[in-house]
Amino acid sequence: MDVVKSIDLRDRQSQIAVVAAAAGVVGGGYLLRRVIRARREAAPIPSGPYAPETLPKDCYDAVIVGAGPSGSVCGYYLAKSGAKVALLDKEVFPREKICGDAVCTPAIHILKDMGVIDGLVAEGKAKYADSGGFVSPAGLSYIGNSVHELGESAACAIKRYHLDNAVAKKAQEAGAELMEKFEVGNDVTFDAEKGLWTVKSVTGSVVKGRMLVCADGATSRLATRLGLCKAPALGVSSRAYISNHNTEFDGACFYPRWSLPGYAAIFRHADGELGYCYYLIPAGPNANKGQLGRVTADDLKRLHEDGIKSDPFISRAMGPEPKCQRMKAGSLRVGGQGVPKTYDEHLVIVGDAAGHIDPLTGEGIHTAMMGGKIAAETILKARAAGNFSVDATKKFQEAWMRRYGHDFYWSQAFAEAIYRCPILMDAVANETRRTGDRFMSVWAEVATCMRPKTDFFRPTVAVPLTFALIREFWSQKIMGNNKGYSMPLVNGKAA
């Protein structure tokens, strides 16, 4: 008590001591919280009544609904470890899937581990993106090659027609029973006494299993039917393949201010075609009601087509006479939107169905694959313990939150910041143009989930970005140099 009374906050040394003590308390509390959380997550799952030998012969350890990247990766690692897996899909492989086709580094690592990526490259179905860049809202552009900085490509372009077929067949090769043309109907029930799910198809086929894995995409009829998905997906994206184009680099992102935080992107595929996409991402005060920055989902077709015809940068990449396929569109469920929890009794939700799409980039293949592998690891531990209770399946959510889910908060925060202050993206472009591939590699690592979004706060990143922001503010607001990215008039009106 005497020590407290002796502190004089008017004294400089006392002020330093108080600040140091407060920092010590906060830091210590943070470290203690991390230790407690790590110990809780590492704690083994208690034994339960459903040991592997109790599984009826006509049942599966896991029934996975959806054989896309998340479901097939989950099925592969389960089957590889000896689990009995039913992998269901309503289509027949190979089949089409609307997607940006950008496979980021963490997914590339999983595909290498599965023995898939080298075959796709050898067959001319995958192309590493070595050269690429972006165009900022003010028209600042940079195209570089960050491979020599990263030591590997940050992304690979693979059409989902090829990718999904390869991972599904690899899961089948590992031992999973791939059931194509199995469209799940409304009759999906859980017998709590037997600890078994019964899943019926629209044609009457039936499969039963201990665990149910919902991996049926962003609209997830299954998770919605079970009451675990509370709202429709709000983000949207387009895609069209384009030939006879004018692009020699491997990929680029375009950030016109009228669609922020959304953007357009092109990726060059191994067959020479361009994959052209437009992402519209929830942002703004009414983001939970369909606001996608300054636009809504109804604007997607117009923005997609105007980009090809009128955008000064996209149209240049397309060339004078591009051959464009018809635009297709799909839903984006970003940052866990509408899915409060991804687990329940004998159940987990993975991939797009769980909203595991980055709210800043709209990319979700890498998080789908990471989540699928984490789901398999959790199910295998639950299987060994014979315990598939909520306490056991909750460990799946704890694991994916620790690996990448914690980043969704900052992704959404940065998306909101870019929507409100486009000059922030101009600052990134300014610094990239100043330092070249060195800073481009930082952006690539953060965008592809190799580094957390909080890396932008590191002094080595935040300080130069702050100076770049000052330079851009001076150029745009003081000197009036802000005419680089302006959409030409369309039918007499600004697009």
Side-chain angles (χ1 to χ4, degrees), residues 65 184-190 197-200 212 222 225-226:
V65 179
V184 176
N186 295 322
D187 197 352
V188 178
T189 57
F190 178 64
W197 284 95
T198 298
V199 180
K200 293 184 180 180
L212 180 64
L222 181 56
R225 192 178 305 128
L226 295 173

Side-chain angles (χ1 to χ4, degrees), residues 377-424:
E377 293 166 352
T378 303
I379 293 169
L380 289 170
K381 291 177 182 177
R383 176 175 178 265
N387 182 353
F388 301 88
S389 66
V390 169
D391 289 338
T393 57
K394 183 180 180 180
K395 288 184 175 293
F396 166 64
Q397 180 150 317
E398 293 172 345
W400 70 256
M401 279 293 295
R402 182 174 65 254
R403 176 63 182 88
Y404 58 82
H406 64 91
D407 223 27
F408 288 162
Y409 170 84
W410 288 109
S411 288
Q412 188 62 55
F414 286 136
E416 291 284 349
I418 291 169
Y419 155 60
R420 297 175 189 279
C421 304
I423 196 172
L424 293 173

Side-chain angles (χ1 to χ4, degrees), residues 15 67 89 101 128 135 144 146 150 170 172 235 259 270 291 294 299 304 307-308 329 335 349-350 374 381 419 442 465:
Q15 292 172 350
D89 201 278
D101 300 334
Y128 286 108
V135 181
S146 58
L150 298 175
K170 198 68 178 182
Q172 183 180 41
S259 56
Q291 182 181 357
R294 293 174 173 80
D299 295 301
H304 177 100
I308 298 173
I349 310 173
V350 299
I374 292 169
K381 291 177 182 177
Y419 155 60
V442 173
L465 269 182

Side-chain angles (χ1 to χ4, degrees), residues 283-365:
N286 295 310
N288 61 344
K289 297 180 182 178
Q291 182 181 357
L292 307 172
R294 293 174 173 80
V295 296
T296 67
D298 293 336
D299 295 301
L300 180 63
K301 187 174 188 295
R302 173 181 63 81
L303 289 168
H304 177 100
E305 294 177 350
D306 285 352
I308 298 173
K309 300 174 184 176
S310 307
D311 185 288
F313 296 97
I314 299 174
S315 60
R316 189 186 310 162
M318 298 299 178
E321 297 180 352
K323 295 180 180 179
C324 308
Q325 293 184 5
R326 183 175 61 87
M327 183 198 97
K328 297 181 179 180
S331 300
L332 295 176
R333 185 181 298 279
V334 304
Q337 173 256 318
V339 186
K341 66 175 186 177
T342 58
Y343 64 94
D344 207 336
E345 294 278 352
H346 294 244
L347 178 148
V348 293
I349 310 173
V350 299
D352 288 8
H356 289 184
I357 296 177
D358 192 309
L360 180 61
T361 65
E363 299 293 348
I365 295 177

Side-chain angles (χ1 to χ4, degrees), residues 130-470:
D130 295 335
S131 60
F134 65 100
V135 181
S136 80
L140 300 177
S141 62
Y142 181 83
I143 299 293
N145 189 321
S146 58
V147 173
H148 61 277
E149 293 284 344
L150 298 175
E152 60 183 334
S153 298
C156 183
I158 312 174
K159 292 182 178 180
R160 289 290 296 274
Y161 183 85
H162 301 308
L163 175 65
D164 289 21
N165 180 62
V167 291
K169 295 302 172 63
K170 198 68 178 182
Q172 183 180 41
E173 183 182 311
E177 187 172 344
L178 178 62
M179 301 182 186
E180 298 169 290
K181 298 182 72 173
F182 193 112
E183 183 176 355
V184 176
N186 295 322
D187 197 352
V188 178
T189 57
F190 178 64
D191 187 327
E193 184 177 342
K194 295 181 180 179
L196 290 172
W197 284 95
T198 298
V199 180
K200 293 184 180 180
S201 74
V202 294
T203 59
S205 300
V206 177
V207 294
K208 296 182 179 182
R210 284 271 184 249
M211 278 290 297
L212 180 64
V213 180
C214 301
D216 54 337
T219 56
S220 191
R221 290 186 296 172
L222 181 56
T224 301
R225 192 178 305 128
L226 295 173
L228 296 169
C229 180
K230 310 291 186 180
L234 296 175
V236 291
S237 66
S238 68
R239 193 215 61 208
Y241 292 126
I242 297 173
S243 59
N244 197 39
H245 54 81
N246 202 33
T247 300
E248 296 183 355
F249 50 83
D250 295 324
C253 297
F254 307 84
Y255 293 90
R257 62 174 57 84
W258 44 85
S259 56
L260 292 174
Y263 65 99
I266 57 175
F267 284 96
R268 192 153 58 105
H269 284 283
D271 61 5
E273 287 188 329
L274 283 184
Y276 166 58
C277 308
Y278 218 116
Y279 299 85
L280 298 182
I281 297 171
N286 295 310
N288 61 344
K289 297 180 182 178
Q291 182 181 357
L292 307 172
R294 293 174 173 80
V295 296
T296 67
D298 293 336
D299 295 301
L300 180 63
K301 187 174 188 295
R302 173 181 63 81
L303 289 168
H304 177 100
E305 294 177 350
D306 285 352
I308 298 173
K309 300 174 184 176
S310 307
D311 185 288
F313 296 97
I314 299 174
S315 60
R316 189 186 310 162
M318 298 299 178
E321 297 180 352
K323 295 180 180 179
C324 308
Q325 293 184 5
R326 183 175 61 87
M327 183 198 97
K328 297 181 179 180
S331 300
L332 295 176
R333 185 181 298 279
V334 304
Q337 173 256 318
V339 186
K341 66 175 186 177
T342 58
Y343 64 94
D344 207 336
E345 294 278 352
H346 294 244
L347 178 148
V348 293
I349 310 173
V350 299
D352 288 8
H356 289 184
I357 296 177
D358 192 309
L360 180 61
T361 65
E363 299 293 348
I365 295 177
H366 60 302
T367 43
M369 288 189 174
M370 287 190 288
K373 186 175 182 182
I374 292 169
E377 293 166 352
T378 303
I379 293 169
L380 289 170
K381 291 177 182 177
R383 176 175 178 265
N387 182 353
F388 301 88
S389 66
V390 169
D391 289 338
T393 57
K394 183 180 180 180
K395 288 184 175 293
F396 166 64
Q397 180 150 317
E398 293 172 345
W400 70 256
M401 279 293 295
R402 182 174 65 254
R403 176 63 182 88
Y404 58 82
H406 64 91
D407 223 27
F408 288 162
Y409 170 84
W410 288 109
S411 288
Q412 188 62 55
F414 286 136
E416 291 284 349
I418 291 169
Y419 155 60
R420 297 175 189 279
C421 304
I423 196 172
L424 293 173
M425 278 301 299
D426 298 325
V428 173
N430 184 300
E431 183 62 16
T432 304
R433 287 163 64 116
R434 189 181 73 87
T435 61
D437 293 339
R438 180 171 59 83
F439 196 81
M440 186 67 196
S441 66
V442 173
W443 175 260
E445 284 186 301
V446 172
T448 58
C449 209
M450 292 300 289
R451 288 187 178 188
K453 303 298 185 297
T454 49
D455 262 30
F456 283 129
F457 297 127
R458 289 189 299 118
T460 53
V461 178
V463 171
L465 269 182
T466 299
F467 282 109
L469 182 60
I470 293 171

Side-chain angles (χ1 to χ4, degrees), residues 30-44 395 398 402:
Y30 174 74
L31 290 174
L32 179 61
R33 182 186 176 194
R34 290 194 63 177
V35 169
I36 293 173
R37 179 184 295 175
R39 291 187 63 180
R40 183 180 70 246
E41 293 173 359
K395 288 184 175 293
E398 293 172 345
R402 182 174 65 254

